[in-house]
Amino acid sequence: MVNPSTSDGRASGIRGRLGELCYSSGLLHSLQRARAWWHKDLRILAYHRIMDFPDPETYDFDLELISTSPERFYEQMHLLKRRFRPTRLTDVAEAIAAGETLPPDTVVVTFDDGYDDNYRIAYPILRDLGIPATFFVSTAHIDTGRPFLYDWLVHMILTTGTPSFVLPELNIDLPMPAARAERRELAGRVLLAMKDIGALEQSAMIARLERDWRMPCDDAPAPPECKPMNWDQLREMHAAGYEVGSHGVHHRMFAKLPHDDMVREIRESKATLDRELGDPAILMSYPVGGDRAFNGEVIDATREAGFELGCSYICGTNPDPATNRYALYRLPVERNMGPGWFAAMLTLPRLMSYPTVHHETGKDPVAACSP
Ligand SMILES: [Zn+2]
């Protein structure tokens, strides 16, 4: 889980303070120019949701999915525009195919899942600043408008009236805590632990809780707090030059699926994107994205389905993306990153990137950051 953060995004740890110091001293820009001489690594930013930070006492969904606020997102994109070279991921794929080296300070902006704040909040900011971006979406959620299952699980745990919490799959059997903060912590632990079991077992477990607790996620349209985008919104962004890639069909961990289901999930997501957007989808982001979520078989199936690049959710940069084009490292943006920390992460990624267990990876940090 991410470190404790302040709601206004102020730096809360040594990295944050160091980043703010380098930023305010004006040192970062010189460091960036110097670094560009010897490091020409591709940096890919990973976002989930852009929204105002809600009151945790009244917000009934997963706070960890909020990458940053609209104001901070604007600042971050403005910095990219001034100091870096924002690039489309498709152009990266073309450069790799042509054997070309990327120019210094190439940065790509990506979003995972497909929440509707990507369209309502992030897209207008990106469009106004002329920053390209890729939106990775789980197609079944775009089709149906139903909430994403992990977020729904957090919602159920936060709001259920059930007195006990029994999950034999995860050896959990305890009284349901009354305090909301304790329930959030419990939900975080469940999300982490369930990434160890099969993807179909995860879905079955959540479906059973929906039945037992009488909280089906498909009874009505998703609540506004956890609504996916729809195809019209994605078509509009696509027509404006924004890229839409696959994040699977049901947001299941590919490597945790039986082989045939895994291949079907990858191929079906591509067929749906191709059909709905009228262009071949070539970009993939493996759902959950940690090193337990994809493997060699998944990469083979991704390549064979016609995808040209695959993004992980493992922290790092890509000094030579031709060598890991189906396992690209990214730099997750977390909500407690102030402007200095964000700038420092892009300038000094090895030192300043977030060395945490993200909610999706559920594993100790992978030492994948390159200098
Ligand atoms: Zn995801």
Side-chain angles (χ1 to χ4, degrees):
M1 305 298 292
V2 296
N3 291 340
S5 63
T6 55
S7 59
D8 62 357
R10 275 182 292 117
S12 58
I14 182 70
R15 279 181 175 75
R17 288 196 295 274
L18 190 60
E20 300 299 336
L21 189 67
C22 292
Y23 183 64
S24 57
S25 68
L27 189 62
L28 274 183
H29 195 203
S30 312
L31 279 173
Q32 183 194 337
R33 279 186 299 182
R35 186 184 186 277
W37 280 99
W38 72 90
H39 282 305
K40 296 188 169 45
D41 49 346
L42 166 66
R43 279 153 278 180
I44 307 175
L45 295 170
Y47 291 90
H48 280 93
R49 309 195 63 175
I50 310 295
M51 56 185 280
D52 286 317
F53 192 70
D55 179 354
E57 283 304 312
T58 56
Y59 184 68
D60 289 337
F61 293 89
D62 189 359
L63 292 167
E64 307 302 333
L65 288 166
I66 303 172
S67 302
T68 195
S69 68
E71 292 74 24
R72 289 222 180 272
F73 184 67
Y74 179 85
E75 288 170 8
Q76 292 169 1
M77 294 303 102
H78 201 249
L79 178 81
L80 280 199
K81 189 179 171 70
R82 282 183 288 126
R83 298 272 172 86
F84 294 87
R85 196 183 303 261
T87 303
R88 298 168 81 230
L89 205 43
T90 303
D91 294 338
V92 171
E94 283 176 9
I96 290 173
E100 292 167 4
T101 307
L102 293 167
D105 292 327
T106 298
V107 177
V108 169
V109 177
T110 67
F111 293 81
D112 277 3
D113 293 352
Y115 279 93
D116 86 328
D117 49 73
N118 291 183
Y119 171 80
R120 287 186 296 103
I121 298 173
Y123 170 51
I125 292 172
L126 292 162
R127 189 189 51 205
D128 290 352
L129 290 173
I131 307 267
T134 305
F135 298 90
F136 291 111
V137 302
S138 301
T139 55
H141 293 276
I142 308 300
D143 283 339
T144 63
R146 287 179 192 160
F148 298 93
L149 280 190
Y150 296 151
D151 205 0
W152 190 252
L153 175 61
V154 172
H155 173 69
M156 287 197 293
I157 293 173
L158 288 173
T159 58
T160 181
T162 192
S164 59
F165 189 36
V166 182
L167 284 180
E169 299 88 340
L170 306 180
N171 296 317
I172 289 176
D173 183 350
L174 38 82
M176 184 61 85
R180 175 165 283 246
E182 285 176 50
R183 287 198 185 201
R184 274 201 195 280
E185 202 207 320
L186 177 61
R189 279 197 281 133
V190 170
L191 283 178
L192 213 60
M194 67 188 283
K195 307 291 166 58
D196 275 332
I197 65 174
L200 299 179
E201 286 75 25
Q202 292 178 23
S203 302
M205 187 185 86
I206 295 173
R208 193 190 69 246
L209 289 178
E210 287 180 38
R211 281 194 307 274
D212 290 355
W213 296 351
R214 294 192 175 81
M215 302 179 76
C217 79
D218 55 0
D219 250 13
E225 298 94 330
C226 67
K227 207 172 144 191
M229 288 185 277
N230 61 44
W231 287 115
D232 283 342
Q233 292 167 336
L234 286 163
R235 274 190 282 269
E236 181 187 331
M237 296 198 294
H238 181 65
Y242 286 84
E243 300 165 311
V244 182
S246 166
H247 200 45
V249 177
H250 300 100
H251 200 280
R252 289 180 176 143
M253 294 169 76
F254 291 158
K256 295 283 185 181
L257 280 168
H259 183 269
D260 290 353
D261 291 324
M262 177 269 286
V263 172
R264 194 177 314 120
E265 183 95 358
I266 290 171
R267 290 181 175 265
E268 193 182 317
S269 73
K270 175 164 167 58
T272 303
L273 288 168
D274 291 358
R275 185 184 65 240
E276 294 291 343
L277 301 171
D279 250 343
I282 60 163
L283 307 171
M284 164 67 79
S285 159
Y286 309 112
V288 178
D291 60 356
R292 292 178 300 175
F294 70 103
N295 54 26
E297 280 182 36
V298 169
I299 288 174
D300 288 345
T302 300
R303 183 190 294 111
E304 285 159 18
F307 291 99
E308 294 181 18
L309 292 181
C311 289
S312 74
Y313 210 89
I314 299 172
C315 166
T317 68
N318 307 277
D320 182 7
T323 61
N324 62 319
R325 61 189 294 178
Y326 287 99
L328 292 168
Y329 299 129
R330 291 192 284 177
L331 297 169
V333 180
E334 303 282 1
R335 67 178 188 275
N336 55 342
M337 282 180 180
W341 188 351
F342 176 82
M345 177 177 75
L346 281 170
T347 301
L348 304 166
R350 188 180 183 88
L351 185 65
M352 303 300 296
S353 60
Y354 215 118
T356 59
V357 179
H358 188 268
H359 72 283
E360 281 207 333
T361 62
K363 197 164 173 19
D364 288 338
V366 179
C369 291
S370 60

